[in-house]
Amino acid sequence: MQICKTIAELKKKIKEIKNEGKTVGFVPTMGYLHEGHLSLMRQARKENDFVIISIFVNPTQFEPNEDLATYPRDLQRDVELAKSVGVELIFAPEAEEIYPENYKTIVEVIDLSQSLCGVTRPGHFKGVCTVVTKLFNIVQPDRAYFGQKDAQQVIIIRQMVKDLHIPVEVIAGPIVREADGLAMSSRNKYLKSEERQAALVLFKALTIAREAIQTGERRAELIEQIIIQMIAKEPSVIIDYVSVVSGVTLEKISHLEGQVLIALAVFIGKTRLIDNIMLEVA
Amino acid sequence: MQICKTIAELKKKIKEIKNEGKTVGFVPTMGYLHEGHLSLMRQARKENDFVIISIFVNPTQFEPNEDLATYPRDLQRDVELAKSVGVELIFAPEAEEIYPENYKTIVEVIDLSQSLCGVTRPGHFKGVCTVVTKLFNIVQPDRAYFGQKDAQQVIIIRQMVKDLHIPVEVIAGPIVREADGLAMSSRNKYLKSEERQAALVLFKALTIAREAIQTGERRAELIEQIIIQMIAKEPSVIIDYVSVVSGVTLEKISHLEGQVLIALAVFIGKTRLIDNIMLEVA
């Protein structure tokens, strides 16, 4: 497996791969890989001739008050994990390589970026869209894989790719959970033992909501209330948002029908966690 | 010569061309072609195996009070002109093809887009960058050609291509002028006979400025004053801006040195005209 630190090095390698007529699957990550990332890499491995991942803690998607400095990093561990699932190339640039001095261009998906996580993180998706556009142009993958845990991100990137006609197929992989239901996240590392325990309420609340829908509940506000009341049982868990929205447009809905996204974000101590379920409601 | 109205049709054709290993030169235009456009097409013809132009009056680069509705259009004439210089394919989409309903993504080069033309046209370059990104992704040219008359546009597009790592070489062609010095522009059509005559003062003023620099003047403010005073001789010509800036960063300079752009915009009646000279000052 090869590790590229510079764009020039990476582009040279990609040219070779393309010249051999190989298809490229790409998994962009911020590193500190977990089973959620690895499941995307395994899928990429199955569907493409060559698999590239990026490990880049993208500064522009962090708000000024967020955890950019402390975001967990362990390249050596990531390299071993990526190798174990058949990744052929890791692109692991420094920040200056992606954002050189006098960098001035931004890519933004309006409307979709201001709701849900965009309220607390107003610049987040602009940072995501900009770095993903750059990475797509550098890597020129045939397929790119994103985790459904970041449901809003998946919808925004699909919209961006469609709007800008970026020639890449965007594929979302399902949320991977710990045995007790906690959605895998690099930020779970921040949780102290009792916080980790409290965090289980997120999936419990989403599960109860799902059950309510399965038994016929269609009122979005009531679903939100079920979740809020469940989370309230854990006083250390502070709700950022709980939203029932269209799984296509991210618009608020009052009546559940079609593709529905139930998404939430909370703070536990300083740690912000997100989770969601996507349902097809008849 | 082929004319494509839809993206699907165009992409199919481009796939064929790429499969044949041909290089693609691309000249994006808003149509109503003049010798300035044709000179870019001739250069593209020389440097590439296949030449594509787009004819698209891009609505997002017009301000609400501008001439989108009346911008001159004559596809039949444009087709004949393009054919005469060896263009092989014209992409001439309707607005809905480029901006379907629920279009949400924008591309923006900050800083560079707010000075010069960006003051009077605050959304202009965002519209330009967005449509050019889309066109580049659709056409996937090896080289793209832009006229130096839109000097700020050239600098912004170069910055965008560099920042986003868009795999295309941006080439700027020199300003083409009428025999009497007026820079060619589709908007010259708007000018009444006496306005056309008054418009000659732009190139006259730039020429006097150039002469002053050649005889040793290096003070930017004085160069601007020379131009402003010259234009003042034509009372029907209302100055939008006259600016002496770095030809690399578009930043205001006080002392002329290195790559210098002297750019101006005026209104003559309702018609807005721009012109500029780029100089290497020792």
Side-chain angles (χ1 to χ4, degrees), chain B residues 150-170:
Chain B
D150 299 295
Q152 187 176 11
Q153 173 175 275
V154 169
I155 289 170
I156 287 173
I157 288 173
R158 280 195 203 283
Q159 179 81 39
M160 177 183 84
V161 163
K162 176 171 159 270
D163 285 348
L164 296 182
H165 300 278
I166 302 175
V168 58
E169 184 184 352
V170 174

Side-chain angles (χ1 to χ4, degrees), chain B residues 214-277:
Chain B
Q214 280 163 349
T215 56
E217 184 55 62
R218 292 291 178 271
R219 290 167 292 179
E221 208 181 321
L222 211 134
I223 297 296
E224 287 174 5
Q225 282 310 316
I226 289 171
I227 294 170
I228 290 167
Q229 281 164 29
M230 183 73 189
I231 294 177
K233 293 184 184 169
E234 287 286 354
S236 65
V237 180
I238 309 299
I239 292 174
D240 182 12
Y241 67 82
V242 172
S243 283
V244 178
V245 297
S246 157
V248 181
T249 65
L250 292 181
E251 277 164 20
K252 271 271 188 193
I253 53 175
S254 55
H255 179 81
L256 277 73
E257 198 178 356
Q259 184 95 318
V260 172
L261 173 67
I262 306 177
L264 56 81
V266 303
F267 288 94
I268 306 181
K270 285 183 178 177
T271 305
R272 187 171 181 280
L273 297 179
I274 58 174
D275 202 347
N276 71 80
I277 52 173

Side-chain angles (χ1 to χ4, degrees), chain B:
Chain B
M1 194 180 59
Q2 189 176 347
I3 300 173
C4 293
K5 291 287 210 176
T6 68
I7 294 167
E9 205 184 342
L10 176 65
K11 283 189 125 172
K12 190 163 160 258
K13 180 68 185 171
I14 287 164
K15 207 170 177 182
E16 285 171 32
I17 299 159
K18 294 267 173 186
N19 282 343
E20 292 167 21
K22 287 181 177 169
T23 58
V24 173
F26 177 49
V27 186
T29 83
M30 299 215 301
Y32 212 73
L33 303 179
H34 52 66
E35 190 55 33
H37 299 112
L38 299 179
S39 69
L40 298 177
M41 293 172 203
R42 283 192 203 96
Q43 189 179 350
R45 176 68 288 164
K46 272 187 211 147
E47 298 176 348
N48 302 276
D49 300 326
F50 195 92
V51 177
I52 299 176
I53 73 166
S54 60
I55 293 178
F56 179 59
V57 181
N58 175 34
T60 64
Q61 71 189 71
F62 287 78
E63 301 298 327
N65 59 335
E66 288 186 339
D67 57 341
L68 173 60
T70 55
Y71 195 88
R73 291 160 170 90
D74 187 343
L75 184 59
Q76 198 43 54
R77 178 174 163 282
D78 289 344
V79 167
E80 293 308 320
L81 287 170
K83 205 185 284 184
S84 76
V85 291
V87 169
E88 272 120 336
L89 195 157
I90 296 179
F91 179 47
E94 298 295 329
E96 305 76 50
E97 183 72 5
I98 298 296
Y99 298 107
E101 225 188 323
N102 294 322
Y103 175 81
K104 295 181 197 300
T105 307
I106 56 113
V107 182
E108 192 166 12
V109 176
I110 47 176
D111 302 341
L112 297 181
S113 299
Q114 299 316 315
S115 64
L116 305 178
C117 286
V119 176
T120 299
R121 314 186 78 189
H124 174 67
F125 291 109
K126 186 161 71 180
V128 169
C129 287
T130 302
V131 80
V132 168
T133 300
K134 288 161 71 88
L135 290 170
F136 281 178
N137 281 331
I138 296 166
V139 175
Q140 297 184 39
D142 296 277
R143 296 176 194 85
Y145 298 82
F146 295 86
Q148 183 60 31
K149 200 192 68 165
D150 299 295
Q152 187 176 11
Q153 173 175 275
V154 169
I155 289 170
I156 287 173
I157 288 173
R158 280 195 203 283
Q159 179 81 39
M160 177 183 84
V161 163
K162 176 171 159 270
D163 285 348
L164 296 182
H165 300 278
I166 302 175
V168 58
E169 184 184 352
V170 174
I171 294 162
I175 298 179
V176 178
R177 299 181 180 279
E178 304 284 357
D180 57 12
L182 182 66
M184 295 216 182
S185 165
S186 305
R187 288 191 170 98
N188 290 348
K189 178 188 156 67
Y190 295 144
L191 300 172
K192 291 173 204 144
S193 163
E194 65 277 17
E195 292 176 333
R196 171 76 181 65
Q197 194 57 35
L200 298 181
V201 77
L202 303 186
F203 186 57
K204 274 185 214 156
L206 290 171
T207 302
I208 289 179
R210 185 201 300 268
E211 285 165 6
I213 295 162
Q214 280 163 349
T215 56
E217 184 55 62
R218 292 291 178 271
R219 290 167 292 179
E221 208 181 321
L222 211 134
I223 297 296
E224 287 174 5
Q225 282 310 316
I226 289 171
I227 294 170
I228 290 167
Q229 281 164 29
M230 183 73 189
I231 294 177
K233 293 184 184 169
E234 287 286 354
S236 65
V237 180
I238 309 299
I239 292 174
D240 182 12
Y241 67 82
V242 172
S243 283
V244 178
V245 297
S246 157
V248 181
T249 65
L250 292 181
E251 277 164 20
K252 271 271 188 193
I253 53 175
S254 55
H255 179 81
L256 277 73
E257 198 178 356
Q259 184 95 318
V260 172
L261 173 67
I262 306 177
L264 56 81
V266 303
F267 288 94
I268 306 181
K270 285 183 178 177
T271 305
R272 187 171 181 280
L273 297 179
I274 58 174
D275 202 347
N276 71 80
I277 52 173
M278 185 81 92
L279 305 157
E280 187 62 40
V281 181

